[in-house]
Structures are given as C-alpha cells and as structure tokens.
Amino acid sequence: MDKILEVQNLSISFAGIKAVQHLSFSIERGEVLGLIGPNGSGKSTTVNMIAGNYLQDEGDVIFEGQPVSRKLSIARRSRLGLGRTFQTPRPFGNLSVYDNVFSIFLQKYNFKDADVKTMEILELSKLTPLRALAASQLSIEKRKWLDLARVLATEPRFVMMDEVMAGLNPNEMLSSLDFVREINKRGITILFIEHVMQAVISVCTRAIVLNEGRFLYEGAPRAVLENPSVIEAYIGRKKNAKN
Ligand SMILES: Nc1ncnc2c1ncn2[C@@H]1O[C@H](COP(=O)(O)OP(=O)(O)OP(=O)(O)O)[C@@H](O)[C@H]1O
Ligand SMILES: [Mg+2]
C-alpha cells in the first residue's frame, strides 16, 4: 500500500479548548477518504494543520513519506503537491474567472503554456463560458468550482475539500459530485469533508469520523453511518445544541 499522507498524534488547543486531540490516520494514494463528524468536531482544524494554516501543538504530518516540518509555510506545502479548498470560497472577486486561474499557472509557466493550462482547467471545471466574468459575479456553485479550479492550478497530488457541497441544491450537488470523481480519475487523492451523507456515500471508499476532536470510527461509509457510537455522537450533539 502506498500512503500519500499520514498524520500521527495530531493535537491542537485554542485557549484551553482541545479542538483536535491525538488524531492519527492515513490516506492511500488514489483514495477518496471522507472526513465526517458533528459541527465543531475538528474537521476544518485538521485540514488547517495539514495545510499549514495552524501550527499543531504536537504530532506529525507525513506527506509522500517525508515529514512535513511544523513550520513549513502554506505556500511551500502547496508546492509539495498538497492543496485545499476553504469552507468559504476565496477567489479574488475583482479578477476575472480566467485571471483567477491564469495568475496561478503564471507562477510556474510561461505566458503561452499558462494560457493553455488555464483553458484546460476551465473546461474541466465547466467554467469556460464564464471565463470573462468577475469572480464576484458567479453563483455560489460556480464560485466553489472556481475555488477548486484554483487549487487544481497548483497541480496538487492531494486535495482536501472542506464542504465544497454546502449551500448547493440537489442538482448542483450531483454535478459537483461528478466533478469530484473526475478530479480523482486524474490521479488526485482527495480528503472529502461533507455533512451531506449521501454525498459521502457516493464518492468515498472509506470514511473517518471525528467527535469532539477525537478519532471515533473508521470504515466503509455505509457501515460508518450505521455504527451505534457514530449515531450517538450525532444525536448527542443535536440534544446539546437544543439545550
Ligand atoms: N482559530 C480558532 N480559534 C479558536 N477556536 C477555534 C479556532 N478554530 C477552531 N476552533 C474551535 O475548534 C473546534 C473545532 O472546530 P472546527 O472548525 O475544526 O470544526 P468542524 O468539524 O470543521 O465543524 P463544522 O462542521 O461546523 O465546520 C471548535 O470548538 C471551534 O470553535
Ligand atoms: Mg468545518
């Protein structure tokens, strides 16, 4: 088995709140691994530690067999092939759709090659007809796709998708799921965070469940959702939210 990413004993606290505690898991190359859990269970925080936005208190991130130094910047991690989307998309609103992607390729390629690669990614993301619009003019769905297109422009081998389906209607979700599968078919390993379980079942081969910052369970998505401790974590969370 070829592990693309491994996290070992990852922990972080914010002012005494233990957001993630002693978390260990690994992802096989080519896999779409689901990361699920109730609100506040530590999913985005985990992504933030792997991507370099947050400095973990303890634990290690190992990417393609190499330990990622705790202090390695977000940009350097991205250059290693490690990409992520944000729960709230962050394209540059005043730039055109085309320029949002082109500006990233231009960091690595000459003008002509950057143009060819940009057109390729826009086609894959079904954004070609919208390429002249400012990013701020896009619908939520298309903004999310542009966010993904920008991540793809960094030519990652591994992408963490943090709730890319949130706020989409059922039809938009179906086309987004196709997009996720297409990205995976191109050889990109995916960590897929999502609350809509149907989406997790439809794209993931395996899922990991977090609860209150800790690893709770791991297995095939359907089995995970039928597990009593997972059901309890979700129901317990809802009860607490009501009180
Ligand atoms: N920068 C921060 N400062 C303080 N607390 C934080 C910070 N980031 C996360 N937390 C806390 O860490 C815990 C885990 O949050 P996180 O955002 O990782 O959850 P999540 O599983 O992504 O939730 P959701 O499904 O709602 O997106 C929460 O208690 C949250 O308030
Ligand atoms: Mg989150």
Side-chain angles (χ1 to χ4, degrees):
M1 289 298 212
D2 177 14
K3 289 190 179 102
I4 191 163
L5 183 99
E6 220 178 327
V7 304
Q8 295 171 345
N9 198 32
L10 221 47
S11 300
I12 190 169
S13 298
F14 300 104
I17 295 171
K18 292 177 174 171
V20 174
Q21 296 182 70
H22 307 297
L23 179 64
S24 300
F25 67 89
S26 60
I27 309 180
E28 300 298 326
R29 194 179 293 279
E31 187 176 25
V32 184
L33 175 67
L35 182 61
I36 65 175
N39 292 116
S41 56
K43 304 178 297 293
S44 295
T45 302
T46 299
V47 168
N48 281 325
M49 287 189 282
I50 297 170
N53 299 78
Y54 291 170
L55 200 63
Q56 71 267 35
D57 296 333
E58 63 175 314
D60 296 302
V61 175
I62 296 157
F63 184 61
E64 298 189 320
Q66 303 294 321
V68 176
S69 155
R70 253 173 107 244
K71 294 196 173 162
L72 197 72
S73 70
I74 299 167
R76 300 264 307 267
R77 290 179 200 219
S78 157
R79 262 177 262 143
L80 285 180
L82 213 157
R84 63 88 54 89
T85 66
F86 285 90
Q87 204 162 336
T88 316
R90 301 180 169 187
F92 294 116
N94 50 346
L95 282 189
S96 70
V97 167
Y98 176 93
D99 283 340
N100 258 284
V101 177
F102 182 67
S103 57
I104 293 174
F105 277 124
L106 209 50
Q107 292 168 18
K108 216 153 81 178
Y109 297 99
N110 66 35
F111 216 79
K112 189 164 163 279
D113 291 348
D115 174 63
V116 171
K117 286 178 183 291
T118 298
M119 292 310 282
E120 235 171 59
I121 293 286
L122 291 180
E123 196 58 35
L124 172 70
S125 335
K126 300 200 174 71
L127 291 168
T128 309
L130 306 172
R131 65 186 181 278
L133 291 184
S136 57
Q137 291 174 280
L138 298 181
S139 65
I140 293 185
E141 182 197 19
K142 297 298 179 192
R143 228 177 306 154
K144 291 196 172 218
W145 289 34
L146 177 57
D147 201 34
L148 260 178
R150 284 171 52 81
V151 176
L152 295 177
T154 66
E155 303 185 314
R157 290 183 295 286
F158 170 61
V159 173
M160 297 179 279
M161 300 184 183
D162 196 355
E163 295 196 33
V164 287
M165 308 281 155
L168 303 187
N169 68 38
N171 278 335
E172 291 169 342
M173 190 172 291
L174 285 180
S175 54
S176 291
L177 288 172
D178 285 341
F179 188 24
V180 171
R181 280 190 210 97
E182 187 55 41
I183 291 169
N184 182 239
K185 263 194 222 151
R186 294 185 170 220
I188 298 174
T189 306
I190 296 172
L191 181 67
F192 187 74
I193 297 178
E194 184 49 60
H195 280 295
V196 178
M197 293 307 160
Q198 221 33 57
V200 176
I201 289 171
S202 120
V203 294
C204 300
T205 38
R206 183 166 69 101
I208 285 178
V209 189
L210 297 187
N211 187 38
E212 297 179 346
R214 289 179 175 275
F215 175 94
L216 180 67
Y217 196 76
E218 176 202 318
R222 275 182 203 284
V224 162
L225 297 179
E226 285 163 9
N227 178 269
S229 63
V230 174
I231 295 169
E232 174 62 30
Y234 275 93
I235 295 172
R237 178 72 203 184
K238 277 194 191 122
K239 272 191 201 143
N240 289 338
K242 273 186 204 148
N243 292 337

